[in-house]
Amino acid sequence: MIESTIYNCSVIGLNKIHERSGNITVVENIRNIPFEVKRIYYLYDVPGGAERGGHAHKALKQLIVAASGCFDVVLNDGQNKKVVELNRPYYGLYVVPGIWREVINFSSGAICLVLASEKYDKEDYLREYSNFLEWKAL
Ligand code: TYD
């Protein structure tokens, strides 16, 4: 069982292969992230002032990357909160299961790339904060 506090969530430095013609970052299962990726999705065209997230996952692990632009991820384990600013495509925020997250302050043109450990499962979501706190107390 993975511990599920904000202190178990961390920013992982990804490699950056620099070339004069541009940079490339490679993410490989297990090798540089602590889970196997089963799904990738990305948020884009987020209107100014919009907030995403506002939920927790029971089992899903994620790596969140600002593939372009920047945004803030607010992590909350029911007891403590921290805000992580993501603004470089060669850093990923590893989010363990059981963390309430909000994604805010999107810059114009930001792309929020998410690598996820499981396929989409709506039953894995805790969408009500009160349910999240009850679930954490189990
Ligand atoms: P949601 O996870 O709530 O987005 P966010 O955390 O960015 O606010 O998902 C938004 C909608 O997209 C919701 O109706 C579910 C749907 N969705 C899928 O169908 N498959 C997926 O893999 C994801 C991530 C979302």
Side-chain angles (χ1 to χ4, degrees), residues 33-137:
I33 59 168
F35 59 87
E36 203 169 318
V37 178
K38 295 211 179 115
R39 176 169 53 115
I40 295 173
Y41 60 91
Y42 37 100
L43 302 173
Y44 54 97
D45 289 347
V46 178
E51 299 187 358
R52 302 294 306 230
H55 61 255
H57 287 280
K58 297 176 194 167
L60 191 71
K61 298 170 210 156
Q62 292 167 305
L63 187 83
I64 304 177
V65 179
S68 184
C70 61
F71 47 80
D72 294 331
V73 185
V74 184
L75 301 173
N76 175 355
D77 59 20
Q79 302 210 318
N80 295 297
K81 266 189 185 183
K82 75 175 172 185
V83 181
V84 179
E85 181 183 7
L86 291 176
N87 55 14
R88 294 281 183 271
Y90 48 88
Y91 285 108
L93 172 63
Y94 173 50
V95 182
V96 296
I99 302 290
W100 188 268
R101 89 287 311 281
E102 279 150 17
V103 191
I104 60 173
N105 295 337
F106 284 89
S107 68
S108 156
I111 299 177
C112 172
L113 175 68
V114 183
L115 285 65
S117 66
E118 306 297 335
K119 293 189 175 157
Y120 177 67
D121 173 11
K122 66 178 173 31
E123 301 303 321
D124 188 60
Y125 280 76
L126 294 157
R127 288 198 179 272
E128 291 293 331
Y129 189 68
S130 55
N131 293 346
F132 165 67
L133 291 179
E134 277 171 30
W135 184 83
K136 288 295 273 186

Side-chain angles (χ1 to χ4, degrees), residues 15-19 22-26:
N15 55 6
K16 176 168 86 169
I17 302 166
H18 172 71
E19 290 180 15
N23 301 325
I24 178 168
T25 290
V26 181

